[in-house]
Amino acid sequence: MLLFLFPTAAVFTLFYAYPLVNVLLTSFTDWKLTQPPVFVGFRNYVDLSRDGVFIASLVNVLKWLVLSWTVYVGIGILTALMTAEETGFNRIFRVIYLIPNMISIAALAMTFYFVFQPTFGVLNSVIRAIGFPQFNKNWYFEYDSAFFAVTATTIFFAGVIMLLVSSEVSSVPSSVLESAKIDGAKRWQRNLYVVLPMIRNIIGSSLILATVQVLKVFEVIFLTTRGGPGTQTMNLSLYLYRMALTSYQFGYANAIGTVTIVIGLIAIMAINRIFRMGSSHEV
Amino acid sequence: MDALRLPLLIFLLGVSILPFVWTLLSSFKTNKEILSSAISLPAELSFKNYVSVLTETPLPSFYVNSIVIAGGATLVSLLVYGMAAYVLARLKFRGRDTIFGVLTLSMLVPVTALILPIYRLMTNTGLYNTRVGLVFVYTALALPVSLYILRSYFLTIPKDLEAAAYIDGASFLRAYFFIIVPVAQPGFAAAAVLAFLAAWNDFLYALILTSGARARTVPIAVRFFQTEYATNYGRMFATIILIIVPTIVIYVLLQKRIERGLVAGSMKG
């Protein structure tokens, strides 16, 4: 009967365990296209610490992490609380708001590539039509707007977070909310002091989900700015891809991968601790 | 919060719909119309861009690839993870919870960090640029969510159901395939639709594991056309619409099921 587990264990070993170990171990080697890997200790990491592109990618990823923990997860929580009542408008909102999370990120990225396109893009066209042509920009390709444009491509689409939080909000017993209401608590007070502490676990899960999503961002940048201008929108995934599949610096690429994994681990453990997840949230 | 409510919700509805409505309208326009009047309605409802994309580019073969690959990965996922989820839901043995924990932790791995070993695994096994290779990779990506959803569903099925079958002398295999699987259809459906969508929508692995049109999937078309037909904007808009329409149709038809699956598959708490 345990044989039932075997295919899953095989998939896990081949596509998760082995690659993880492989990335970690070869990050300590000098490994180029044709030669076998040679152990070099921490040299790749020392080189990374002096690599301007890597530092820029790392800083961008940290900025995007903070933005997604605050703005992205914040929007998810707010929309869940704001649409908690079962009205027609709320139901329609929830259905439509999830659409950008359902479609291919590649298609989403291309759509926004054209939205932000400088000559016939809808954003610049609207800005011109209402009489402010001086505010027209080449959004993805100018120094002061590229980071904003890449961020704006995904940060508003927190439908999945909304869905997770809603499912938990609806399980808050109405008797608790009623008694808070009787005690004179306004709606925002009830949300802030009663609902939020009770859904602490799902907020922690949402932050973890957001963390993994940020670390996995690739398409949005690859199909729009390609990391530029300069290194304004470079991130770890894109730099790893470049090192692995265009420069063939396999050891170096896997050191970038290891850093990505370690950032994820640290963030997830911290979130777990701060939100004391797993502990009961009954009052 | 009440004063902020409508402005925020309407803004979010706007950014969720308007870019796609504009893309749809633009897909009916000629290149000249797009360049001269980007925010006007198309002069006529012309499907010329769609016809030219579907007859003059390899997009139809990408469609076939996508259906075969996403469908294949979904079927393999259900078969493989269904069995594992059943054992993990029903059998009591030492280390069971640890195994389940480790398997679902794969959800937390930023898989973009693993592209190099997976790329090399595929090239070394001759699966590079094949549909089978992508079926394997997408099956692997579906592991944590499928396992979680299926196990949660099996846990809701009363044990008496199989107990009766076992008393009648049914084997473990029979009990699973003939008694549990039919009852657990909603769980399988939720896991299936999420696995299918994840495979259909993936860009990264299709990009690094294919070359030429042989195994390319639909999302790769945008990249391909970005270089091939860089200035034929009408075609690009039509291509984007052709990529997202199947997803939206599936979402609209199975919306409740998808929502429940997303919630069940998200490792709450």
Side-chain angles (χ1 to χ4, degrees), chain A residues 93-105 107-108 112 153-154 156-160, chain B residues 12-13 15-17 19-20 201 244 247-248 251:
Chain A
F93 176 85
R94 288 206 298 258
V95 172
I96 291 176
Y97 187 44
L98 212 56
I99 289 178
N101 287 145
M102 291 296 125
I103 65 171
S104 165
I105 300 178
L108 181 80
F112 276 82
T153 307
T154 53
F156 300 119
F157 302 127
V160 171
Chain B
L12 293 175
L13 278 183
V15 291
S16 301
I17 300 181
F20 303 106
N201 287 340
I244 56 185
T247 320
I248 292 183
Y251 171 61

Side-chain angles (χ1 to χ4, degrees), chain A residues 1-5 7-9 11-12 14-16 18-20 22-23 31 33 75 78-79 81-83 87 89-108 110-115 117 119-122 125-126 128-129 156-157 160 163-164 167-168 187-188 191 201-202 205 208-209 212 215-219 222-224 226 237 240-241 244-245 248-251 253-254 256-258 260-261 264 268 277-278, chain B residues 1-2 4-6 8-13 15-17 19-20 22-23 34-35 38-39 80-88 91 93 99 102-122 133 136-137 139-144 147 166 172-173 176-177 194 197 200-204 207-208 219-220 222-223 226 230 233 236-237 240 243-244 247-248 251-252 255-256 258-260 262-264 266-269:
Chain A
M1 290 177 222
L2 284 178
L3 276 180
F4 265 40
L5 274 175
T8 300
V11 170
F12 180 79
L14 275 178
F15 289 95
Y16 290 97
Y18 157 73
L20 272 171
N22 180 279
V23 165
W31 182 21
L33 186 57
I75 290 175
L78 272 180
T79 48
L81 293 174
M82 286 170 170
T83 60
T87 66
F89 174 82
N90 288 348
R91 250 196 305 269
I92 291 169
F93 176 85
R94 288 206 298 258
V95 172
I96 291 176
Y97 187 44
L98 212 56
I99 289 178
N101 287 145
M102 291 296 125
I103 65 171
S104 165
I105 300 178
L108 181 80
M110 281 315 290
T111 302
F112 276 82
Y113 177 79
F114 287 119
V115 165
Q117 204 277 347
T119 51
F120 62 83
V122 68
S125 302
V126 169
R128 277 197 303 272
F156 300 119
F157 302 127
V160 171
L163 197 65
L164 298 184
S167 74
E168 202 77 350
R187 187 209 288 266
W188 68 268
N191 279 328
N201 269 336
I202 202 73
S205 301
I208 290 175
L209 187 68
V212 180
L215 294 177
K216 284 198 293 197
V217 167
F218 177 82
E219 292 90 334
F222 183 79
L223 288 170
T224 59
R226 313 212 101 209
S237 306
L240 188 162
Y241 169 83
L245 298 174
Y248 305 112
Q249 304 277 345
F250 294 162
N254 282 341
I256 300 169
T258 304
T260 310
I261 293 162
I268 289 165
M277 291 169 61
Chain B
M1 204 169 105
D2 287 338
L4 182 70
R5 181 173 177 271
L6 269 186
L8 178 69
L9 296 186
I10 286 169
F11 168 76
L12 293 175
L13 278 183
V15 291
S16 301
I17 300 181
F20 303 106
W22 178 70
T23 303
I34 291 168
L35 292 170
I39 47 174
V80 169
Y81 305 136
M83 300 193 302
Y86 181 60
V87 171
L88 292 168
L91 242 57
F93 57 93
I99 291 176
V102 169
L103 289 174
T104 49
L105 273 184
S106 52
M107 188 185 287
L108 304 178
V109 178
V111 284
T112 44
L114 307 181
I115 54 173
L116 188 54
I118 290 179
Y119 171 80
R120 291 182 48 85
L121 183 71
M122 291 291 125
F136 276 125
V137 173
T139 300
L141 290 185
L143 190 157
L147 197 68
Y166 286 129
F172 192 71
L173 213 64
Y176 173 69
F177 280 106
L194 290 186
L197 285 181
W200 180 277
N201 287 340
D202 173 75
F203 178 86
L204 177 61
L207 175 75
I208 63 169
I220 291 296
V222 290
R223 166 86 194 108
Q226 213 180 13
Y233 303 116
M236 286 294 295
F237 285 118
I240 295 173
I243 295 170
I244 56 185
T247 320
I248 292 183
Y251 171 61
V252 169
Q255 179 238 341
K256 276 282 157 240
I258 291 174
E259 288 188 6
R260 274 197 298 268
L262 282 170
V263 172
S266 70
M267 292 226 301
K268 285 210 280 175

Side-chain angles (χ1 to χ4, degrees), chain B residues 227-239:
Chain B
T227 46
E228 300 273 306
Y229 314 109
T231 51
N232 198 329
Y233 303 116
R235 279 188 182 184
M236 286 294 295
F237 285 118
T239 306

Side-chain angles (χ1 to χ4, degrees), chain B:
Chain B
M1 204 169 105
D2 287 338
L4 182 70
R5 181 173 177 271
L6 269 186
L8 178 69
L9 296 186
I10 286 169
F11 168 76
L12 293 175
L13 278 183
V15 291
S16 301
I17 300 181
L18 294 179
F20 303 106
V21 171
W22 178 70
T23 303
L24 179 68
L25 290 176
S26 303
S27 71
F28 298 120
K29 291 179 175 177
T30 62
N31 230 21
K32 224 176 108 203
E33 270 184 283
I34 291 168
L35 292 170
S36 62
S37 52
I39 47 174
S40 60
L41 292 170
E44 54 172 328
L45 202 65
S46 155
F47 285 88
K48 254 175 84 185
N49 291 322
Y50 290 93
V51 173
S52 80
V53 168
L54 291 172
T55 56
E56 293 162 30
T57 76
L59 193 67
S61 76
F62 290 6
Y63 253 98
V64 174
N65 286 339
S66 269
I67 292 168
V68 171
I69 292 168
T74 306
L75 288 179
V76 177
S77 296
L78 295 187
L79 180 69
V80 169
Y81 305 136
M83 300 193 302
Y86 181 60
V87 171
L88 292 168
R90 278 292 194 266
L91 242 57
K92 286 205 170 64
F93 57 93
R94 258 185 64 190
R96 182 187 70 173
D97 294 345
T98 316
I99 291 176
F100 180 64
V102 169
L103 289 174
T104 49
L105 273 184
S106 52
M107 188 185 287
L108 304 178
V109 178
V111 284
T112 44
L114 307 181
I115 54 173
L116 188 54
I118 290 179
Y119 171 80
R120 291 182 48 85
L121 183 71
M122 291 291 125
T123 48
N124 292 340
T125 50
L127 292 173
Y128 175 78
N129 204 22
T130 62
R131 293 169 178 176
V132 176
L134 281 177
V135 167
F136 276 125
V137 173
Y138 294 149
T139 300
L141 290 185
L143 190 157
V145 173
S146 310
L147 197 68
Y148 214 84
I149 291 176
L150 291 169
R151 181 174 169 272
S152 320
Y153 201 87
F154 292 148
L155 288 174
T156 65
I157 301 173
K159 277 187 184 153
D160 311 345
L161 204 69
E162 311 118 272
Y166 286 129
I167 291 166
D168 292 342
S171 69
F172 192 71
L173 213 64
R174 263 189 86 83
Y176 173 69
F177 280 106
F178 291 99
I179 296 174
I180 293 300
V181 171
V183 181
Q185 265 179 23
F188 279 103
V193 65
L194 290 186
F196 187 88
L197 285 181
W200 180 277
N201 287 340
D202 173 75
F203 178 86
L204 177 61
Y205 283 102
L207 175 75
I208 63 169
L209 297 178
T210 63
S211 69
R214 194 153 84 104
R216 281 213 168 120
T217 56
V218 178
I220 291 296
V222 290
R223 166 86 194 108
F224 191 65
F225 296 169
Q226 213 180 13
T227 46
E228 300 273 306
Y229 314 109
T231 51
N232 198 329
Y233 303 116
R235 279 188 182 184
M236 286 294 295
F237 285 118
T239 306
I240 295 173
I241 295 299
L242 286 171
I243 295 170
I244 56 185
V245 158
T247 320
I248 292 183
V249 169
I250 292 174
Y251 171 61
V252 169
L253 292 178
L254 302 171
Q255 179 238 341
K256 276 282 157 240
R257 200 151 267 177
I258 291 174
E259 288 188 6
R260 274 197 298 268
L262 282 170
V263 172
S266 70
M267 292 226 301
K268 285 210 280 175

